[in-house]
Short mmCIF file of all heavy atoms in Angstrom, two decimals:
data_model
loop_
_atom_site.label_atom_id
_atom_site.label_comp_id
_atom_site.label_asym_id
_atom_site.label_seq_id
_atom_site.Cartn_x
_atom_site.Cartn_y
_atom_site.Cartn_z
N VAL A 18 -71.48 -31.15 51.98
CA VAL A 18 -70.78 -32.46 51.98
C VAL A 18 -69.51 -32.33 52.70
O VAL A 18 -68.67 -31.53 52.25
CB VAL A 18 -70.64 -32.98 50.48
CG1 VAL A 18 -69.87 -34.25 50.50
CG2 VAL A 18 -71.94 -33.03 49.80
N ILE A 30 -73.24 -39.01 43.26
CA ILE A 30 -74.34 -38.55 44.09
C ILE A 30 -74.44 -37.02 44.06
O ILE A 30 -75.56 -36.48 43.93
CB ILE A 30 -74.13 -39.04 45.56
CG1 ILE A 30 -74.26 -40.54 45.72
CG2 ILE A 30 -75.11 -38.30 46.52
CD1 ILE A 30 -73.80 -41.16 46.97
N PHE A 60 -73.92 -40.84 22.27
CA PHE A 60 -74.67 -39.87 21.58
C PHE A 60 -74.05 -39.51 20.32
O PHE A 60 -72.77 -39.35 20.32
CB PHE A 60 -74.86 -38.62 22.42
CG PHE A 60 -75.58 -38.82 23.74
CD1 PHE A 60 -74.87 -39.07 24.91
CD2 PHE A 60 -76.98 -38.75 23.82
CE1 PHE A 60 -75.48 -39.25 26.11
CE2 PHE A 60 -77.65 -38.94 25.00
CZ PHE A 60 -76.88 -39.17 26.16
N ARG A 96 -66.46 -36.53 25.51
CA ARG A 96 -66.55 -36.20 24.06
C ARG A 96 -65.43 -36.98 23.35
O ARG A 96 -64.26 -36.78 23.69
CB ARG A 96 -66.37 -34.70 23.89
CG ARG A 96 -66.43 -34.14 22.51
CD ARG A 96 -67.83 -34.19 21.94
NE ARG A 96 -68.67 -33.13 22.39
CZ ARG A 96 -69.15 -32.22 21.63
NH1 ARG A 96 -68.96 -32.21 20.34
NH2 ARG A 96 -69.96 -31.32 22.12
N GLY A 116 -52.21 -41.29 13.44
CA GLY A 116 -52.36 -39.83 13.68
C GLY A 116 -52.68 -39.43 15.11
O GLY A 116 -53.17 -38.38 15.26
N TYR A 135 -59.20 -35.04 21.75
CA TYR A 135 -59.89 -35.52 22.92
C TYR A 135 -59.20 -36.70 23.62
O TYR A 135 -59.61 -37.12 24.65
CB TYR A 135 -61.33 -35.95 22.53
CG TYR A 135 -62.17 -34.77 22.05
CD1 TYR A 135 -62.39 -34.56 20.69
CD2 TYR A 135 -62.65 -33.86 22.94
CE1 TYR A 135 -63.12 -33.55 20.20
CE2 TYR A 135 -63.46 -32.73 22.46
CZ TYR A 135 -63.66 -32.59 21.11
OH TYR A 135 -64.40 -31.53 20.65
N LYS A 138 -58.05 -35.94 27.33
CA LYS A 138 -59.09 -35.97 28.28
C LYS A 138 -59.46 -37.43 28.58
O LYS A 138 -59.70 -37.77 29.77
CB LYS A 138 -60.33 -35.20 27.72
CG LYS A 138 -61.52 -35.20 28.63
CD LYS A 138 -61.19 -34.35 29.91
CE LYS A 138 -62.46 -34.28 30.72
NZ LYS A 138 -62.14 -33.72 32.05
#
Side-chain angles (χ1 to χ4, degrees):
V18 177
I30 291 168
F60 297 94
R96 180 72 78 117
Y135 297 101
K138 181 66 177 171

